[in-house]
C-alpha cells in the first residue's frame, strides 16, 4: 500500500517524456510466491529531450534483481533502485539502447488487486491506472505506446492456460512440468492496457467474421463448470462487434478476442487489448442465478469494454486528466448500443435516474470536479460518475448540437486523425469544430467547469398577441476551488404541447437561437418569444434530457399533469410524473418532520393507476414510472437539513396511498402478468417481469401483503422474481415468519454460489430502519461474506452505506461508525475499494445538524488514523474540507 505523500498532480505540469519505449519484451516465470519478470525494453530518446537527461522509471513495491544496458551489467553506482523508482542518471548518449530489468514479485501476497495477483488460483492482472509499475519498472504513463511481446512460463498442471494481449505466436514444453506461450500485440499500446492471465479455466468459443471478411476467434474463459453461464456474454459480444461496425464503422483488428472472468476484481471489467478481464458478476448469468438487471449490465459492460478497442485502445489518453476522452465517449457508445438493443425511452430514463443518483450528488458536494479534472492526488479516485456519466452526457450534447450526420463525420475524422495516438479533449472537440464549422469554445466549459447548471424557467402566454414566452435563466453553483462560474452553452430540446397533445407549430421565434427543436442558451438570461400561438401550451422542456442540468419550471400543476398524460416525448412524460411525485413527497416529508400525517392529491394517486394500466405504454416504461423517486433522490431535491426518517415515512405513505386506491386494478394487472416459461432475458419479457414485480411491491406494502409476496417467492421460476419477492418480504415485512423463512430458504439453496449470495447480502443490508446496523454487523461473520473480495464488500457494506438511507443515517451515528471502521479495516488490504466506500459520506453537509455532527466524527476517526493510504486520505480530506 502506498501511504500518502501529499503529492498533487496538475494538468498544467504535463510534459512529454524524454524517453520512449517503442518495443517491450516481457518474460514471466510464474510462481505464486515468487514470480520473476524480465523486461527487455528498447529505449529511445524523444524529441522532447534536451542533452542527456536521466532515465526515471516508475515502480511500486518492486525489488530489482538484475539490470543490464545493451547486454552489459550496470555498476550499482550508476543507478538508484528503490521500491518506487529506478533512476539511471546517465543513460547511454545514443538514439536508442536496450535495457534489461529483472524484478521479483509475489502475486499471492497482492491483496490490492492491482498489478499481477491471484484470484481463485488464477494469475491475472489489472494495470489501469498505475498497476503496471507493480510488475516492472517502466514509463508507466498512457502516452508511452509500445509494441509488446510477452512470454509466459508456468507449471502446466497449475496453469495449462497462458494468455496475454494480441495474437498467440508459439507455445511449447519446457520440461519438468513447465511450459510456455508467447503472445505478440502488433498495436502499440500504453502499459495500462497490458494483461496476462494464467490458470486452469473452462471456456466457450465462437467466431466472428468482420465486415471486411476477417475471421476472429472469440473465447470466454470462466471457472470450470460454469461454461454454460457464459453464453449470454458471448452473444452480447457478437452483437457489440456488429453494432460497432454498423453504427461507427469500427472493425475489430486482431485474430482473437478473449474475455476472462475472475472473482476478485476491484471494478466491473477492464478493456486490455484483445484480453478483457471481467469481474465474473458481469459475465456469468442464467435465469436461475441472474436478474434481468444483471443481464442488462452484462450486455452493457461487455459492449463497453469491447467498444474501448477503438475509443481507448487504438486512440488512448495523453495523460490521466484526459480520462473522460475514453470513458465518457465509451459510456455514450454503450448507452446507444443498449438503447438500440432494448427500448430507447426506457434506457434513457434509466440513464437519467443513474446520473441523478450518482453524478448529481457528486457534483453538488465536496468531491465535485470537472469532467476533465485539473488536479488529483490519487487518479484511482477519479473513475467517477462525473468522468463517466456526465462525460457521456457531454458527448450526447455534441451530437445534439451537430445532428446525427455531422456527429458521425466528426467521429470518423477522430478515428482517422488520431488512430495510434494518445490524444486530448482538445483534439476531440477540434474534429467536431472542423466538420461543422462551429465554434465549440463556450460549449467546452462542460469539460472544464464542475457543478450542475440550474435552469429556471417562467412561462407566460399573451392571448391578445398570440405569444408564448419563456423566460429562461441559467446559473452554475460554486464548487470546491471554483467560486466564480462562466456561462455555459446549454442545448435545451423542447416542444410546446397543445390541448390536443400534439406539438404546436409556431410562426416565429425571437430571443435565442432555436434550431431543430433545440433552444441554445448561451447567455445568463433569454426571453424567448414564440409567435402564432393562439392557445396556452404546456412547455415540454429538456426533452430526452438534452442537457445534464437541474431544472425549475414555474408551470401550472394542470400543465404538469397534462404533460404526464400526453407529452409525445417519452422522457418528458415520465419526468412530468416524476416531478409531481417528488413535489408531493417533499411536502409530505416536511409534514412528517413536523409530525403531521401525509396527504396526497387524488389526481396523483389516480394517475399512478392510469399509467399502470395504460396498454399503449411498454410494461418496462410503466414499471419505471410507478417506481417512486428513491429516498436519496428526494433528499437531493430537498437539498439541506435532511432527515432520512421523515423522507422514508413520506415515501411509505405515498406507496400505501397508491396501493390502497388502486388495489383492485393492481391486483388484476398483477394476476394477468404470470411468470413466463420458458424464460427469455429479452427486454420485452424483462419489462413484463419488472411491471409485475413493481405491482407486487405496492400490493405487498399493504398490511396483509406478506402472503402474496411469500407466494411470489415460492412460485418464482427465475432469479428476477425470486430476488424481488425476497426484497419485498424482508423490507416490507421484516421479521415476519414469511420473511424469515424466505431468507433461510434462499441461503440454503444458494449457499455455494457467492454471486447469488451477494444478492442475499444486499437485500439484508438495505433493510430499512435502525436494526440494519446490527444486522450488517452480524453478517460480517457470515460465511457468505469476506473482506478480501470486493464484490462481497460492495454487496454488504457498500449497499448499506449507499442504499440504506435510514440505516446508514441512524440518528445515533452507529451506521457511520460501522462504515468508518470498515474503511479503516479494509484500506490496509485494498485501499482502492476502501476509498470508494468512503465516498458514501460525501453528502454529509446536507444532513440535519445532529446527523451532520455524527458523520463528521466518523470522518475524523478515519482521518486521524496514521499511515493512511493516499486513496482514502484524498477522499476523506476533500470530504471534510
Ligand atoms: N477502464 C476500466 C476502469 C479502470 C479503473 C481503474 N481504477 C474499466 C472501464 O471503464 O471500462
Ligand atoms: Zn471504460
Amino acid at each position: 500500500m502506498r501511504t500518502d505523500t501529499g503529492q498533487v498532480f496538475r494538468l498544467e505540469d504535463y510534459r512529454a517524456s524524454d524517453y520512449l519505449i517503442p518495443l517491450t519484451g516481457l518474460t514471466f516465470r510464474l510462481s505464486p510466491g515468487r514470480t520473476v519478470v524480465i523486461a527487455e525494453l528498447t529505449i529511445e530518446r524523444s524529441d522532447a529531450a534536451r542533452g542527456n537527461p536521466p532515465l526515471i522509471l516508475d515502480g511500486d513495491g518492486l525489488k530489482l534483481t538484475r539490470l543490464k544496458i545493451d547486454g552489459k551489467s550496470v555498476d550499482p553506482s550508476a543507478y538508484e533502485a528503490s521500491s518506487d523508482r529506478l533512476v539511471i542518471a546517465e543513460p547511454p548518449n545514443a538514439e536508442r539502447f536496450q535495457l534489461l530489468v529483472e524484478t521479483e514479485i509475489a502475486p499471492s501476497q497482492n491483496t490490492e488487486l492491482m498489478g499481477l495477483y491471484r484470484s481463485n488460483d488464477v494469475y491475472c492482472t489489472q494495470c489501469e491506472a498505475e498497476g503496471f509499475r507493480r510488475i516492472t519498472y517502466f514509463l508507466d504513463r498512457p502516452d508511452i505506446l509500445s509494441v509488446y511481446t510477452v512470454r509466459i512460463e508456468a507449471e502446466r498442471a497449475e496453469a495449462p492456460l497462458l494468455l496475454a494481449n494480441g495474437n498467440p505466436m508459439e507455445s511449447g514444453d519446457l520440461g519438468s512440468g513447465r511450459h510456455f506461450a508467447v503472445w505478440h500485440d502488433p498495436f502499440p499500446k500504453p502499459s495500462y492496457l497490458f494483461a496476462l492471465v494464467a490458470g486452469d479455466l473452462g471456456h466457450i468459443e465462437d467466431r466472428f467474421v468482420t465486415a471486411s471478411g476477417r475471421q476472429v476467434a472469440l473465447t470466454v474463459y470462466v471457472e470450470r463448470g460454469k461454461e454454460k453461464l457464459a453464453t449470454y456474454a458471448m452473444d452480447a459480444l457478437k452483437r457489440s462487434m456488429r453494432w460497432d461496425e454498423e453504427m461507427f464503422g469500427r472493425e475489430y483488428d486482431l485474430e482473437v478476442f478473449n474475455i476472462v472472468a475472475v472473482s476478485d476484481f476491484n471494478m466491473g471489467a477492464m478493456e486490455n487489448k484483445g484480453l478483457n478481464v471481467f469481474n465474473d458478476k458481469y459475465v456469468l448469468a442464467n435465469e436461475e442465478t441472474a436478474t434481468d438487471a444483471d443481464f442488462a449490465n452484462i450486455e452493457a459492460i461487455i459492449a463497453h469494454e469491447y467498444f474501448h478497442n477503438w475509443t481507448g485502445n487504438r486512440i488512448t489518453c495523453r495523460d490521466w486528466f484526459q480520462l473522460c476522452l475514453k470513458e465518457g465517449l465509451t459510456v455514450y457508445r454503450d448507452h446507444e448500443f443498449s438503447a438500440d438493443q432494448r427500448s430507447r425511452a426506457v434506457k434513457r430514463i434509466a440513464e437519467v435516474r443513474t446520473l441523478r443518483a450518482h453524478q448529481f450528488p457528486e457534483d453538488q458536494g465536496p468531491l465535485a470536479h470537472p469532467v476533465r479534472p485539473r488536479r488529483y492526488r490519487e487518479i484511482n479516485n477519479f473513475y467517477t460518475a462525473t468522468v463517466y456519466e456526465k462525460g457521456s452526457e457531454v458527448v450526447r450534447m455534441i451530437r445534439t448540437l451537430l445532428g446525427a450526420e455531422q456527429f458521425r463525420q466528426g467521429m470518423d475524422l477522430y478515428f482517422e486523425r488520431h488512430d495510434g495516438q494518445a490524444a486530448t479533449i482538445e483534439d476531440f472537440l477540434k474534429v467536431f469544430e472542423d466538420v461543422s464549422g462551429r465554434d465549440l469554445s463556450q460549449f467546452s466549459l462542460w469539460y472544464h467547469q464542475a457543478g450542475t447548471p440550474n435552469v429556471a424557467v417562467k412561462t407566460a402566454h399573451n392571448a391578445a398577441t398570440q405569444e408564448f414566452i419563456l423566460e429562461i435563466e441559467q446559473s452554475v453553483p460554486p464548487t470546491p476551488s471554483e467560486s466564480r462560474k462562466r456561462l455555459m452553452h446549454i442545448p435545451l430540446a423542447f416542444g410546446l404541447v397543445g390541448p390536443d397533445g400534439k406539438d404546436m407549430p409556431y410562426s416565429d421565434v425571437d430571443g435565442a437561437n432555436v434550431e431543430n427543436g433545440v433552444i441554445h442558451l448561451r447567455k445568463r438570461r433569454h426571453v424567448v418569444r414564440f409567435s402564432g400561438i393562439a392557445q396556452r401550451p404546456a412547455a415540454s422542456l429538456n426533452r430526452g434530457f438534452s442537457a445534464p442540468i437541474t431544472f425549475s419550471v414555474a408551470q401550472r400543476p394542470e400543465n404538469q399533469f397534462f404533460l404526464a398524460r400526453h407529452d409525445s416525448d417519452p422522457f418528458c412524460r415520465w419526468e412530468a410524473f416524476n416531478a409531481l411525485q417528488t413535489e408531493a413527497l417533499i411536502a409530505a416529508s416536511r409534514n412528517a418532520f413536523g409530525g403531521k400525517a401525509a396527504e396526497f392529491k387524488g389526481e396523483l394517486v389516480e394517475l399512478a393507476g392510469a399509467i399502470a394500466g395504460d396498454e399503449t405504454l411498454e410494461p418496462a416504461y410503466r414499471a419505471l414510472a410507478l417506481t417512486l423517486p428513491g429516498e436519496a433522490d428526494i433528499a437531493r431535491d430537498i437539498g439541506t437539513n435532511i432527515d432520512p426518517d421523515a423522507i422514508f415515512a413520506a415515501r411509505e405513505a405515498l406507496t400505501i396511498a397508491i396501493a390502497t386506491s388502486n388495489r383492485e386494478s393492481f391486483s388484476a394487472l398483477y394476476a394477468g402478468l404470470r411468470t413466463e416459461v420458458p424464460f427469455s432475458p429479452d427486454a420485452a419479457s424483462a419489462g413484463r417481469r419488472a411491471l409485475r414485480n413493481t405491482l407486487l411491491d405496492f400490493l405487498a406494502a399493504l398490511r396483509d401483503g406478506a402472503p402474496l409476496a411469500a407466494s411470489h417467492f415460492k412460485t418464482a421460476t427465475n432469479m428476477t422474481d425470486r430476488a424481488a419477492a425476497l426484497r419485498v418480504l424482508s423490507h416490507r415485512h421484516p421479521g415476519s415468519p414469511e420473511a424469515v423463512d424466505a431468507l433461510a430458504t434462499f441461503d440454503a439453496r444458494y449457499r455455494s454460489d457467492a454471486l447469488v449470495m451477494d444478492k442475499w447480502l444486499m437485500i439484508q443490508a438495505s433493510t430499512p430502519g435502525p436494526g440494519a446496523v446490527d444486522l450488517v454487523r452480524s453478517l460480517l461473520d457470515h460465511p457468505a461474506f469476506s473482506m478480501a473480495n470486493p464484490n462481497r464488500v460492495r454487496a454488504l457494506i457498500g449497499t448499506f452505506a449507499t442504499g440504506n438511507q435510514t440505516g446508514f443515517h441512524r440518528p445515533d451515528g452507529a451506521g457511520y461508525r460501522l462504515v468508518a471502521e470498515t474503511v479503516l479495516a479494509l484500506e490496509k488490504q485494498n485501499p482502492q475499494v476502501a476509498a470508494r466506500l468512503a465516498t458514501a459520506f460525501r453528502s454529509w453537509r446536507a444532513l440535519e445538524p445532529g446527523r451532520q455532527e455524527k458523520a463528521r466524527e466518523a470522518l475524523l476517526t478515519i482521518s486521524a488514523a496514521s499511515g493512511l493510504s493516499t486513496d482514502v486520505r484524498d477522499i476523506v480530506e476533500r470530504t471534510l474540507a
Side-chain angles (χ1 to χ4, degrees):
M1 183 184 91
R2 274 186 287 176
T3 48
D4 186 47
T5 57
Q7 190 177 3
V8 177
F9 298 88
R10 291 170 212 278
L11 173 61
E12 64 264 30
D13 293 342
Y14 174 83
R15 269 196 73 241
S17 173
D18 287 334
Y19 290 96
L20 306 175
I21 311 180
L23 297 174
T24 297
L26 295 171
T27 299
F28 288 84
R29 303 215 169 98
L30 292 175
S31 170
R34 180 172 169 275
T35 287
V36 174
V37 184
I38 302 162
E40 292 170 273
L41 312 176
T42 298
I43 310 243
E44 272 180 16
R45 190 90 56 86
S46 87
D47 296 341
R50 303 242 159 80
N52 193 30
L55 174 65
I56 304 174
L57 300 182
D58 306 298
D60 180 3
L62 290 179
K63 185 169 127 199
L64 181 74
T65 49
R66 202 148 59 103
L67 184 68
K68 286 185 174 184
I69 293 178
D70 290 329
K72 293 192 209 83
S73 296
V74 185
D75 190 90
S77 65
Y79 67 89
E80 183 201 306
S82 62
S83 91
D84 62 358
R85 55 187 214 164
L86 172 62
V87 181
I88 299 170
E90 284 178 52
N93 201 350
E95 296 248 304
R96 73 165 44 196
F97 59 93
Q98 298 295 319
L99 188 69
L100 181 147
V101 180
E102 186 185 282
T103 49
E104 265 181 36
I105 52 180
S108 60
Q109 278 153 47
N110 185 345
T111 62
E112 287 186 36
L113 316 185
M114 282 294 276
L116 176 65
Y117 66 94
R118 300 263 289 173
S119 172
N120 268 348
D121 298 333
V122 174
Y123 295 92
C124 63
T125 54
Q126 171 54 37
C127 292
E128 188 177 359
E130 297 178 335
F132 192 71
R133 62 184 66 184
R134 292 164 58 81
I135 294 173
T136 186
Y137 294 102
F138 203 76
L139 294 173
D140 191 15
R141 44 188 280 175
D143 60 348
I144 296 295
L145 307 183
S146 192
V147 171
Y148 286 66
T149 305
V150 178
R151 179 185 166 95
I152 312 169
E153 302 177 7
E155 229 160 83
R156 195 187 285 276
E158 188 196 37
L161 173 73
L162 305 173
L163 302 174
N165 313 91
N167 297 317
M169 303 306 283
E170 54 171 320
S171 58
D173 202 73
L174 291 168
S176 49
R178 291 183 75 80
H179 72 144
F180 78 96
V182 178
W183 290 78
H184 176 74
D185 180 2
F187 295 95
K189 66 167 174 288
S191 50
Y192 81 84
L193 290 174
F194 166 79
L196 171 159
V197 171
D200 188 6
L201 291 166
H203 70 269
I204 59 167
E205 34 184 41
D206 210 326
R207 303 199 73 75
F208 183 83
V209 182
T210 69
S212 69
R214 275 183 311 100
Q215 296 267 339
V216 184
L218 312 177
T219 312
V220 182
Y221 294 92
V222 297
E223 219 172 89
R224 281 196 187 279
K226 299 199 168 157
E227 293 84 352
K228 286 213 177 75
L229 296 171
T231 51
Y232 185 78
M234 180 66 94
D235 178 58
L237 173 62
K238 288 188 290 180
R239 285 185 280 126
S240 307
M241 295 177 87
R242 191 60 76 212
W243 186 90
D244 212 15
E245 293 183 341
E246 285 167 1
M247 305 316 253
F248 284 90
R250 297 297 108 200
E251 243 184 270
Y252 187 62
D253 50 11
L254 290 165
E255 291 155 30
V256 301
F257 188 78
N258 291 318
I259 291 177
V260 182
V262 299
S263 37
D264 302 86
F265 207 63
N266 281 348
M267 62 263 171
M270 179 64 211
E271 70 264 24
N272 317 299
K273 182 79 184 186
L275 177 54
N276 288 0
V277 178
F278 268 66
N279 187 326
D280 58 2
K281 173 179 164 66
Y282 297 117
V283 172
L284 304 174
N286 69 9
E287 66 205 77
E288 178 62 23
T289 59
T291 62
D292 289 322
D294 293 325
F295 281 101
N297 280 332
I298 290 170
E299 179 180 80
I301 297 177
I302 290 273
H304 179 98
E305 306 311 331
Y306 174 73
F307 297 157
H308 267 314
N309 190 55
W310 275 95
T311 50
N313 302 3
R314 291 284 289 254
I315 305 178
T316 192
C317 303
R318 187 192 73 173
D319 52 68
W320 290 121
F321 297 100
Q322 320 295 331
L323 185 57
C324 62
L325 178 75
K326 72 178 180 82
E327 295 305 347
L329 177 55
T330 305
V331 170
Y332 171 73
R333 278 151 51 73
D334 87 55
H335 283 177
E336 283 297 295
F337 169 73
S338 294
D340 284 345
Q341 303 286 311
R342 292 166 177 257
S343 152
R344 185 161 281 273
V346 168
K347 174 67 182 154
R348 189 63 187 141
I349 295 166
E351 283 161 19
V352 173
R353 281 186 93 129
T354 307
L355 184 83
R356 287 182 175 152
H358 300 288
Q359 200 276 327
F360 277 23
E362 183 167 86
D363 226 357
Q364 292 161 12
L367 302 179
H369 55 273
V371 173
R372 187 180 71 184
R374 276 180 299 275
R375 57 207 59 221
Y376 61 77
R377 276 163 81 177
E378 174 51 64
I379 187 56
N380 286 321
N381 289 338
F382 281 81
Y383 287 76
T384 59
T386 297
V387 168
Y388 277 64
E389 314 300 328
K390 189 175 179 182
S392 161
E393 294 301 322
V394 179
V395 176
R396 180 177 298 277
M397 284 189 285
I398 296 177
R399 187 178 184 279
T400 302
L401 254 49
L402 269 64
E405 209 170 300
Q406 280 190 352
F407 177 74
R408 173 66 197 265
Q409 285 167 14
M411 286 302 301
D412 288 349
L413 180 59
Y414 177 64
F415 293 123
E416 187 190 311
R417 191 181 276 176
H418 297 291
D419 185 15
Q421 294 180 2
T424 62
I425 282 303
E426 283 73 15
D427 295 329
F428 183 66
L429 284 167
K430 183 76 168 52
V431 296
F432 296 107
E433 291 193 319
D434 288 357
V435 297
S436 69
R438 287 171 193 257
D439 174 1
L440 295 179
S441 45
Q442 187 183 10
F443 179 81
S444 75
L445 286 175
W446 283 104
Y447 282 109
H448 307 319
Q449 195 162 265
T452 309
N454 181 261
V455 171
V457 182
K458 284 188 201 141
T459 58
H461 182 244
N462 185 334
T465 60
Q466 304 212 337
E467 266 189 335
F468 184 64
I469 303 146
L470 293 176
E471 251 186 79
I472 312 176
E473 201 165 321
Q474 66 159 297
S475 59
V476 188
T479 52
S481 78
E482 282 180 16
S483 49
R484 286 175 61 88
K485 301 285 187 178
R486 290 158 65 194
L487 293 167
M488 317 272 291
H489 177 182
I490 301 173
L492 200 65
F494 76 103
L496 307 180
V497 185
D500 59 355
K502 295 208 178 82
D503 283 8
M504 294 171 102
Y506 46 89
S507 56
D508 206 2
V509 58
D510 172 57
N513 175 18
V514 177
E515 302 174 89
N516 307 318
V518 177
I519 306 172
H520 292 267
L521 308 177
R522 292 166 171 277
K523 300 187 292 183
R524 182 171 311 288
R525 192 160 170 274
H526 291 261
V527 180
V528 189
R529 292 169 192 278
F530 297 91
S531 43
I533 308 273
Q535 273 176 295
R536 182 185 184 101
S540 167
L541 298 170
N542 209 22
R543 282 191 159 172
F545 202 65
S546 61
I549 53 177
T550 55
F551 211 60
S552 46
V553 196
Q555 178 140 258
R556 301 178 184 171
E558 67 259 31
N559 282 332
Q560 287 284 90
F561 275 104
F562 185 80
L563 290 173
R565 291 181 200 275
H566 302 295
D567 199 330
S568 63
D569 181 77
F571 173 79
C572 278
R573 186 171 170 188
W574 168 81
E575 178 80 316
F577 185 50
N578 184 62
L580 285 165
Q581 289 174 319
T582 303
E583 261 168 53
L585 287 164
I586 291 175
S589 84
R590 297 228 158 92
N591 284 342
F593 202 18
K596 275 193 266 165
E599 265 176 58
F600 299 99
K601 275 193 197 148
E603 192 176 0
L604 183 68
V605 170
E606 277 156 36
L607 183 52
I611 291 174
D614 186 341
E615 300 282 343
T616 67
L617 298 169
E618 296 167 272
Y621 183 95
R622 291 188 260 159
L624 267 179
L626 287 176
T627 306
L628 299 188
E631 294 156 60
D633 298 314
I634 304 162
R636 192 185 59 245
D637 285 343
I638 294 175
T640 52
N641 203 23
I642 302 302
D643 174 2
D645 291 329
I647 293 173
F648 179 78
R651 199 172 178 278
E652 283 297 287
L654 181 55
T655 304
I656 288 169
I658 291 176
T660 308
S661 331
N662 297 290
R663 182 175 194 144
E664 265 168 48
S665 62
F666 279 15
S667 297
L669 207 52
Y670 172 84
L673 288 157
R674 288 168 204 286
T675 300
E676 294 170 24
V677 186
F679 177 92
S680 162
D682 72 273
S685 313
R688 288 188 290 271
R689 280 187 288 274
L691 180 57
R692 183 167 177 265
N693 289 326
T694 307
L695 293 167
L696 173 71
D697 190 39
F698 280 101
L699 293 168
L702 298 170
R703 194 160 301 151
D704 54 358
L708 178 70
S711 124
H712 193 107
F713 181 80
K714 288 199 187 105
T715 57
T717 54
N718 59 71
M719 183 51 72
T720 304
D721 293 341
R722 193 171 290 122
L726 185 65
R727 174 178 301 273
V728 166
L729 275 175
S730 48
H731 291 189
R732 300 243 176 252
H733 302 277
S736 66
E738 289 93 342
V740 172
D741 186 52
L743 282 166
T745 308
F746 195 99
D747 179 10
R749 182 158 173 183
Y750 297 108
R751 197 163 286 175
S752 60
D753 190 330
L755 288 177
V756 179
M757 287 305 282
D758 283 346
K759 301 181 196 308
W760 185 83
L761 293 173
M762 286 171 79
I763 287 169
Q764 294 182 80
S766 49
T767 309
V773 176
D774 292 334
L775 179 57
V776 170
R777 272 196 197 278
S778 71
L779 288 169
L780 289 171
D781 297 321
H782 193 277
F785 180 76
S786 158
M787 199 68 108
N789 180 289
N791 286 356
R792 307 297 94 77
V793 173
R794 284 187 283 257
L796 185 63
I797 316 292
T799 301
F800 172 73
T802 58
N804 190 340
Q805 298 298 304
T806 47
F808 178 54
H809 297 291
R810 203 168 96 167
D812 65 359
Y816 305 141
R817 288 193 290 278
L818 170 59
V819 174
E821 279 166 32
T822 311
V823 168
L824 287 171
L826 182 62
E827 76 131 14
K828 302 284 170 247
Q829 37 181 325
N830 192 330
Q832 224 178 100
V833 174
R836 183 53 69 109
L837 187 58
T839 63
F841 287 98
R842 66 186 173 196
S843 301
W844 69 281
R845 281 188 209 276
L847 295 162
E848 51 80 22
R851 286 176 172 90
Q852 240 186 77
E853 187 48 34
K854 301 285 181 202
R856 202 176 81 94
E857 281 165 16
L859 280 162
L860 288 172
T861 61
I862 304 177
S863 78
S866 59
L868 221 47
S869 62
T870 314
D871 308 61
V872 171
R873 173 141 329 269
D874 171 45
I875 295 292
V876 171
E877 286 188 357
R878 279 193 284 146
T879 304
L880 279 166

